[in-house]
């Protein structure tokens, strides 16, 4: 892998900054702890003094962790921006943007019902290209919404994984949502309160026994949906759900058609395009390229299956 020496120098520089920031944060916490211990009234005895020392130290530890995490993310971005263009050139017909500056069509996916309403988004690692004459776009996303339960308004992450858009040969004017099956009463509640989420559309019975175990279909035009969701496609979709969703299983996949696009939301807990920790020498990145290539080819494997070809 070219430029590894340059990348290693950058890693060492970022690691030095991370260590410096962490030491400063811990030292500040310890100083405040000593100040509280020395000048505290001590009315609560040794226990009170000990708590007075440990609380600032704990805050310093949290600050050190966050500062370290920031530098680790900086290193990850530097590694990706160095390595990924080389991989994309090797694979061909693919570009990479770590910051995902072009964004993604989140609003369309939400209106279709493939993803839930969100208040905060973080997207990165945008891949865009062509495979088997099929255009595709992919990003890694974390979507959060505010929780109002028990007076807690802090954002809660409800989706972490990959969002994909795959171009279809012919535009589909009617909306088609392939949603998770919540089973019986769960589906009824989702449909009852599903205004604007796609589940308020007419329900479509596909007649496909295995597919119906995992998914429910809703469409603004059920007859069109049944024509598009042919048995061969449903077989392939089940295979994609079982092969690509990891520990989430088929419940980790939702999808939908609209106009020129087939959207997919694939839950994934593992890091995407992981290229080594800040404390790991850059030379070891080469050992992790197999995992990176596996991540990159996720969308290619999906396109293969949608074409009816199923990798072993």
């Amino acid at each position: 892998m070219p430029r590894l020496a340059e990348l290693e120098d950058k890693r060492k520089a970022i690691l030095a900054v991370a260590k410096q920031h962490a030491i400063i944060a811990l030292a500040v916490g310890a100083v405040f702890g000593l100040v509280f211990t020395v000048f505290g009234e001590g009315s609560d005895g040794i226990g009170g003094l000990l708590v007075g020392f440990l609380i600032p130290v704990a805050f310093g530890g949290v600050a050190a962790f966050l500062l370290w995490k920031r530098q680790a993310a900086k290193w990850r971005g530097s590694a990706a921006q160095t390595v990924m263009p080389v991989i994309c050139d090797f694979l061909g017909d693919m570009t990479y943007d770590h910051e995902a500056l072009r964004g993604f069509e989140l609003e369309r996916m939400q209106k279709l019902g493939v993803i839930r309403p969100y208040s905060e988004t973080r997207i990165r690692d945008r891949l865009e290209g062509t495979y088997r004459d099929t255009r595709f776009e992919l990003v890694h996303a974390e979507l959060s919404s505010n929780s109002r339960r028990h007076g807690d308004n802090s954002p809660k992450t409800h989706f972490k994984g990959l969002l994909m858009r795959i171009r279809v040969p012919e535009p589909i004017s009617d909306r088609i949502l392939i949603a998770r099956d919540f089973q019986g009463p769960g589906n009824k509640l989702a449909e009852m309160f599903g205004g604007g989420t796609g589940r308020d559309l007419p329900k479509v019975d596909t007649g496909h026994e295995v597919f119906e175990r995992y998914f429910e279909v809703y469409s603004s035009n059920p007859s069109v949906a049944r024509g598009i969701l042919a048995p061969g496609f449903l077989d392939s979709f089940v295979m994609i759900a079982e092969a690509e969703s990891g520990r989430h299983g088929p419940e980790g996949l939702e999808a939908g058609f609209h106009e020129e696009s087939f959207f997919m939301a694939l839950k994934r807990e593992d890091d995407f395009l992981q290229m080594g920790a800040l404390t790991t020498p850059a030379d070891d990145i080469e050992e992790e390229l197999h995992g990176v290539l596996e991540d990159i080819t996720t969308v290619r494997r999906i396109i293969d299956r949608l074409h009816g070809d199923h990798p072993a």
Side-chain angles (χ1 to χ4, degrees):
M1 177 64 64
R3 298 179 59 190
L4 279 183
E6 176 186 339
L7 196 59
E8 176 63 6
D9 290 340
K10 185 173 294 187
R11 183 193 71 84
K12 290 178 178 178
I14 294 174
L15 178 61
V17 172
K19 288 179 177 179
Q20 182 183 51
H21 288 180
I23 290 171
I24 291 173
L26 290 170
V28 170
V31 168
F32 275 99
L34 288 172
V35 169
F36 290 154
T37 301
V38 172
F39 294 101
E41 296 181 1
S43 57
D44 295 326
I46 297 298
L49 292 175
L50 186 61
V51 170
F53 175 75
L54 291 178
I55 288 178
V57 171
F59 275 105
V62 171
F65 171 76
L66 294 176
L67 290 169
W68 182 281
K69 191 174 179 180
R70 177 186 296 176
Q71 295 301 317
K74 183 178 179 180
W75 156 245
R76 182 189 175 282
S78 296
Q81 288 168 354
T82 299
V83 174
M84 285 300 299
V86 178
I87 296 176
C88 289
D89 287 343
F90 171 75
L91 293 174
D93 290 326
M94 185 183 300
T95 60
Y96 171 77
D97 176 15
H98 176 66
E99 300 295 335
L101 296 177
R102 291 187 59 186
F104 201 74
E105 295 200 55
L106 298 177
E107 187 175 346
R108 281 185 67 190
M109 292 189 75
Q110 180 185 316
K111 288 181 177 179
L112 184 55
V114 178
I115 57 176
R116 287 170 46 191
Y118 55 86
S119 56
E120 294 187 14
T121 65
R122 286 189 294 172
I123 63 172
R124 57 175 172 80
D125 294 322
R126 178 187 172 94
L127 290 169
E128 183 175 358
T130 302
Y131 177 64
R132 298 185 66 160
D133 295 323
T134 303
R135 293 289 301 168
F136 67 84
E137 301 164 32
L138 176 150
V139 294
H140 184 274
E142 292 186 42
L143 309 179
S144 305
S145 57
N146 292 327
S147 173
R148 293 184 174 84
R149 292 180 298 179
H150 311 298
D152 182 9
N153 290 323
S154 59
K156 304 295 182 183
T157 299
H158 58 75
F159 178 85
K160 178 181 178 182
L162 304 180
L163 301 179
M164 287 167 267
R165 184 171 84 136
I166 298 170
R167 297 294 179 94
V168 298
E170 298 291 337
I172 302 168
S173 58
D174 301 289
R175 291 186 294 159
I176 304 172
L177 170 64
I178 303 174
R180 173 184 170 184
D181 187 351
F182 288 117
Q183 305 297 327
N187 289 326
K188 293 297 183 184
L189 286 173
E191 292 161 12
M192 186 181 302
F193 299 102
T197 68
R199 289 180 182 263
D200 55 342
L201 298 173
K203 189 174 177 180
V204 180
D205 182 5
T206 65
H208 191 290
E209 182 179 355
V210 178
F211 177 86
E212 294 283 348
R213 290 178 196 167
Y214 305 126
F215 304 104
E216 296 285 342
V217 175
Y218 302 87
S219 176
S220 55
N221 191 328
S223 63
V224 169
R226 278 188 284 267
I228 292 171
L229 304 181
F233 172 84
L234 297 178
D235 289 338
S236 297
F237 192 84
V238 170
M239 290 181 184
I240 292 169
E242 292 176 338
E244 301 293 348
S245 297
R247 70 175 185 83
H248 291 286
E251 295 179 350
L253 175 63
E254 296 193 87
F257 290 92
H258 189 227
E259 295 179 348
E260 78 291 348
S261 301
F262 178 50
F263 293 102
M264 302 182 72
L266 183 66
K267 285 188 176 181
R268 175 191 173 113
E269 296 299 329
D270 298 335
D271 285 333
F272 185 59
L273 303 181
Q274 181 62 39
M275 295 188 192
L278 181 54
T279 53
T280 302
D283 288 342
D284 292 343
I285 286 179
E286 290 191 77
E287 299 176 9
E288 299 183 344
L289 288 185
H290 291 293
V292 172
L293 286 169
E294 182 80 6
D295 286 344
I296 292 173
T297 56
T298 297
V299 67
R300 290 190 166 197
R301 292 194 303 272
I302 288 172
I303 291 173
D304 281 336
R305 292 190 188 276
L306 292 174
H307 279 80
D309 298 331
H310 304 292

